[in-house]
Amino acid sequence: MRSSNRNWLTLGGAASVLTSCGSDRAVAPPLPRPATPITAPAVADEPVKIGEPYNVGGKTYVPADPVNYDEVGYASWYGEEAIGKPTANGEDFMPSAISGAHKTLPLPSYVEVTALNSGRTILVRLNDRGPFSNDKLIDLSHGAAEQLGITGDGAAAVRVRRVNPPEQEKALLRAYHRAPARIETPQPLLKVLRGRLAEAPASPPPQPQAARPVVQTLPAVSSRSRPGASFDTSTPPIPKPAPKAMAPAKPAPAKPVSGGYVVQVAALSSQSRAEALARQIGAHAVAAGPVWRVRYGPYPSQAAAQAGVKAAEAKGFANVRVMANDAR
């Protein structure tokens, strides 16, 4: 087929030359339209960081550099709660970027993520560590989840395959744009991938997820003044849930009163995600305009609010804010 196309092009070119012979001046063929320029990338792919083994929640993760990584599992996503906070490789998190978090792949890496319910496949740039939940394979930014079509409250079954895309597509993702979507995965292959997911030894069905504390529960990244340095393994592990035999923690008040001080852990756009996180860490969720704030308190003074700071740190949240309680 390729050679026949060239023959037709040759015949067409010859006919064009013969036609132009009768005129005083041959008409030059139109010049190809220049490609749309890509703006300078906002972030860089160098240096690539792998890092040393690290421990979160009593489990050790060993970063590696597999060339042929291809796994199936469940994907969750995170967004507004981490705006402007640093990812594990030192970049500022942007919810609209097509990015993701993985426990062990190098940072950055590029992966194709396929939704096993629809076959839709997109290109994602990994720049963060997580999700630290045994039933999750990858955490996607809100922009990536939106492009993939999985922005519900639960987890979605996916395939994650490491790839080396063209430089132009890498540049698009580095500049916080979307790369073109891949051809949808055909149904026969989706059937095989779903079978792999069902056979996995630790593949529980998707469950509603709480908002992911992106940076606070991650191994801290070494200073930007030391490019390529390994991840710091000094981050305290997330405590395991208390045994059933222990007395339950004192429940937070259902209706927080105004006045005093509170310790704010996160601000989310989803009420269900905020309430799920509040239940998980023993705090409460408060509506504040278009967002829902997850808080400890109120406390009568800033000194008393340090108890909330310690409670947040025990749950894996660092650098939380003590602020005046504006609940109504």
Side-chain angles (χ1 to χ4, degrees):
M1 292 299 291
R2 293 181 180 176
S3 60
S4 62
N5 288 338
R6 286 197 295 268
N7 291 338
W8 280 110
L9 289 172
T10 303
L11 291 175
S16 175
V17 171
L18 290 174
T19 303
S20 64
C21 288
S23 61
D24 294 333
R25 183 175 59 186
V27 178
L31 295 174
R33 296 178 62 184
T36 303
I38 298 174
T39 57
V43 292
D45 282 345
E46 299 293 340
V48 176
K49 300 179 181 180
I50 299 177
E52 300 297 328
Y54 62 94
N55 185 283
V56 174
K59 182 173 181 179
T60 299
Y61 300 93
V62 183
D65 189 14
V67 176
N68 299 316
Y69 182 89
D70 189 346
E71 298 290 341
V72 293
Y74 293 97
S76 50
W77 64 273
Y78 59 112
E80 292 83 356
E81 65 269 29
I83 292 177
K85 295 181 180 179
T87 61
N89 70 342
E91 299 170 5
D92 290 338
F93 175 75
M94 291 187 62
S96 60
I98 311 303
S99 63
H102 193 274
K103 302 179 186 75
T104 58
L105 285 176
L107 302 179
S109 293
Y110 292 88
V111 293
E112 285 183 352
V113 182
T114 301
L116 298 189
N117 65 335
S118 65
R120 185 181 301 180
T121 302
I122 65 171
L123 181 66
V124 174
R125 181 176 181 268
L126 301 177
N127 66 351
D128 209 350
R129 286 285 179 234
F132 298 112
S133 174
N134 291 335
D135 62 339
K136 303 295 191 305
L137 180 62
I138 190 173
D139 233 349
L140 298 175
S141 66
H142 182 267
E146 186 177 54
Q147 186 183 12
L148 194 60
I150 59 166
T151 52
D153 286 336
V158 296
R159 176 196 192 186
V160 178
R161 186 171 72 93
R162 191 178 180 188
V163 294
N164 184 22
E167 178 58 32
Q168 186 176 20
E169 294 188 345
K170 293 181 181 179
L172 284 170
L173 267 61
R174 290 197 302 266
Y176 310 117
H177 300 303
R178 295 183 178 185
R182 273 45 183 160
I183 297 175
E184 290 191 2
T185 303
Q187 287 298 323
L189 179 54
L190 285 178
K191 184 176 181 180
V192 173
L193 295 173
R194 291 166 186 155
R196 281 176 53 188
L197 184 66
E199 294 170 2
S203 298
Q207 297 177 356
Q209 61 176 20
R212 170 179 175 270
V214 182
V215 177
Q216 294 88 339
T217 59
L218 297 180
V221 180
S222 299
S223 170
R224 295 192 191 191
S225 64
R226 302 185 325 174
S230 300
F231 294 104
D232 185 357
T233 58
S234 61
T235 301
I238 303 173
K240 295 182 179 180
K244 293 182 179 179
M246 295 180 63
K250 184 179 179 179
K255 286 188 176 182
V257 297
S258 60
Y261 296 87
V262 294
V263 175
Q264 182 157 311
V265 175
L268 310 177
S269 61
S270 168
Q271 177 181 356
S272 61
R273 289 163 64 85
E275 291 176 344
L277 175 59
R279 287 194 299 270
Q280 180 181 348
I281 65 175
H284 56 259
V286 181
V291 300
W292 284 78
R293 296 174 179 175
V294 180
R295 296 174 165 181
Y296 288 104
Y299 303 95
S301 65
Q302 293 190 32
Q306 294 305 310
V309 174
K310 293 179 180 179
E313 290 176 347
K315 295 294 184 180
F317 292 86
N319 302 320
V320 294
R321 298 172 57 194
V322 177
M323 54 194 301
N325 182 23
D326 56 359
R328 296 289 185 268

